[in-house]
Each structure stands twice: as structure tokens, then as C-alpha cells.
Amino acid sequence: MKNGNMNFIAFIVRDVQLMETQRDRVNTMLNQQPMQKNTRVRKQTRNSNYITTEDCHKDYILLDFETTGMRAGADKIISVLAIRHINHSEQDHFDTLVNPNRHIPIEVTQRTGLSNEAIASSPTMEEVIQPLLSYIGDLPIVIHDSSFEMGFLESLQDFSEVHLPKFTVVDTTKLARKVASQLEDVEKMKRLAFLLGTKQNSMSGLTDCRATGDIYKYCCKISGEAN
């Protein structure tokens, strides 16, 4: 009986250690992603033209930009990908290259595959923005580390005649951090870590966007179970 109690305690200790290891892994990835993207981008302020929430919606837009650099305003958007989901199901895409009217750095070309030649005949962001806004409509926007994409969107108002509506934005970085802090199931935490790893290792705008969607759907599922 004594050995049985000791084995049970050892099992509990091992399970707790496993859980904390996975939680640390998740938090490390969540802390790394914003640092990679957000060193020099515009942060959300009281005057920002969007509100961020951690709410779960069945209908939403996934949004991803490729840019010439990290500085919203000084750097420019070179591709836009938006994916519309209805009832968590992918419906269609808004996908276009964008001419930034400036040189694309070689490191950006190496990372994205987008060259100056590839975007030479593409529309400018001033031409793209209205069709993009029409595509988004009243749906909330789901983004992983929202200040990057939203910073570039808001910078359009500083340098052009663009007027943006008031967006509702769900940041999956914040949502995943909230879910991770509440999870007590090792397998569910492992799954969250796997999805975040897929996001970090994505090699294209499409896989990156879809990885964000997978994180969002999983976090919403976990949140729904908790409630």
C-alpha cells in the first residue's frame, strides 16, 4: 500500500513537471513571435482605429502582409492575403501583390520570394485598400501579433487619403497566452505548442495565415469547453 502511494505521488509529480515544461514551451514561442516582428512597428494607442478583443467569433477574416521592412509608414506593404471564414470554414481569398514604389531589399526577396520585377506591374496599396476594405466588411480580423499588420494599415492614413473604418481585431497571441495560462491538460497544451510551432515554421503567407486560423479555432474550442 505504501509503495502504491509513492508511485501515485511520483506519477502526479511527473505529470505536473510535464505540464510546466509544455507551458514554458508555449510561453517561449508566444514571447518570441512578437519580438521577431514587432521591434520597430507602431504600437496600438488610444487613437488607434481598431479595438482588440479575445472574443471568439465563427465568422472572421485572417489577414497577413508581406512588407519591405518592419517600420510601418517608412516601409511598405508588398503583398496582401486575407482569408474569409464563415462558421470557422474557409470560404475564399483576397490575394494580391502590391507595388510599394520603392526597392525591395534582397533579404526580403530571399525570405518571401518577392522581387522588384515580380511586383513591377502590381497595383499600389492606395489602389488595393478599398477592395480590401470591401472584402473585410464588418467581419472581425484575426491576426497573430496584431500590431504589425494593423500598424501598416493605420500608416496608410498618415501618408494618403485613405480613411479606415473602426476594426474589431482578435490577436491570437494574446488569446493563446490566456488559454495557456488556464490549461491543466498536458495533451491539450502539447497541441497548442504544436500549432504555435507550425506558425513559426510557416514558409509562405498562405501557410502562415492558415496556421493563425488553426491557432484561433483551437483556442476558441478550448475556451468553449472551459465555459
Side-chain angles (χ1 to χ4, degrees), residues 29-37 144-145 199-200:
M29 285 189 283
L30 287 170
N31 290 333
Q32 284 176 346
Q33 185 76 8
M35 288 174 65
Q36 291 168 356
K37 267 187 153 183
H144 199 72
D145 185 23
K199 169 75 179 177
Q200 282 193 332

Side-chain angles (χ1 to χ4, degrees), residues 1-225:
M1 189 72 176
K2 186 176 181 181
N3 287 339
N5 287 339
M6 290 178 65
N7 289 337
F8 178 73
I9 292 170
F11 176 80
I12 294 296
V13 170
R14 185 187 64 182
D15 202 45
V16 169
Q17 290 174 336
L18 248 172
M19 187 66 185
E20 290 310 307
T21 297
Q22 291 300 320
R23 196 188 306 278
D24 289 345
R25 184 184 171 203
V26 165
N27 286 330
T28 296
M29 285 189 283
L30 287 170
N31 290 333
Q32 284 176 346
Q33 185 76 8
M35 288 174 65
Q36 291 168 356
K37 267 187 153 183
N38 254 353
T39 307
R40 301 171 72 181
V41 304
R42 171 190 295 200
K43 302 295 183 180
Q44 186 178 11
T45 68
R46 288 184 178 181
N47 296 324
S48 291
N49 216 47
Y50 63 100
I51 58 170
T52 55
T53 78
E54 296 168 0
D55 297 338
C56 286
H57 306 266
K58 291 183 178 180
D59 305 336
Y60 49 89
I61 298 288
L62 300 172
L63 185 63
D64 183 80
F65 294 152
E66 296 291 351
T67 64
T68 59
M70 300 296 181
R71 301 164 301 170
D75 288 304
K76 301 297 180 183
I77 298 167
I78 56 175
S79 79
V80 175
L81 174 62
I83 305 178
R84 179 161 40 206
H85 278 67
I86 302 299
N87 198 25
H88 287 301
S89 178
E90 185 175 315
Q91 300 296 304
D92 46 42
H93 301 176
F94 180 98
D95 189 3
T96 182
L97 298 179
V98 180
N99 189 339
N101 287 320
R102 67 177 55 196
H103 180 75
I104 298 177
I106 184 64
E107 60 269 20
V108 174
T109 298
Q110 290 172 341
R111 179 174 57 82
T112 65
L114 299 177
S115 64
N116 293 287
E117 294 75 21
I119 54 84
S121 60
S122 301
T124 65
M125 196 61 201
E126 287 71 24
E127 295 172 299
V128 168
I129 187 61
Q130 291 304 327
L132 175 62
L133 294 179
S134 295
Y135 182 80
I136 295 172
D138 295 329
L139 293 177
I141 303 173
V142 175
I143 313 175
H144 199 72
D145 185 23
S146 60
S147 56
F148 182 79
E149 274 79 8
M150 297 311 296
F152 272 86
L153 261 186
E154 290 203 313
S155 70
L156 295 173
Q157 296 187 130
D158 299 336
F159 302 99
S160 69
E161 298 298 318
V162 171
H163 295 285
L164 301 176
K166 194 77 173 179
F167 295 109
T168 297
V169 176
V170 182
D171 190 322
T172 53
T173 306
K174 296 177 181 177
L175 181 59
R177 189 173 285 116
K178 176 182 176 182
V179 167
S181 71
Q182 298 171 344
L183 269 178
E184 297 297 338
D185 184 291
V186 175
E187 294 305 315
K188 289 179 180 179
M189 190 69 83
K190 283 183 179 179
R191 178 62 180 169
L192 180 57
F194 172 78
L195 294 174
L196 290 168
T198 300
K199 169 75 179 177
Q200 282 193 332
N201 297 323
S202 62
M203 299 299 291
S204 71
L206 183 59
T207 58
D208 191 56
C209 228
R210 284 175 170 163
T212 297
D214 289 341
I215 293 167
Y216 183 57
K217 284 184 276 190
Y218 186 69
C219 287
C220 287
K221 177 184 176 184
I222 297 300
S223 296
E225 290 172 356

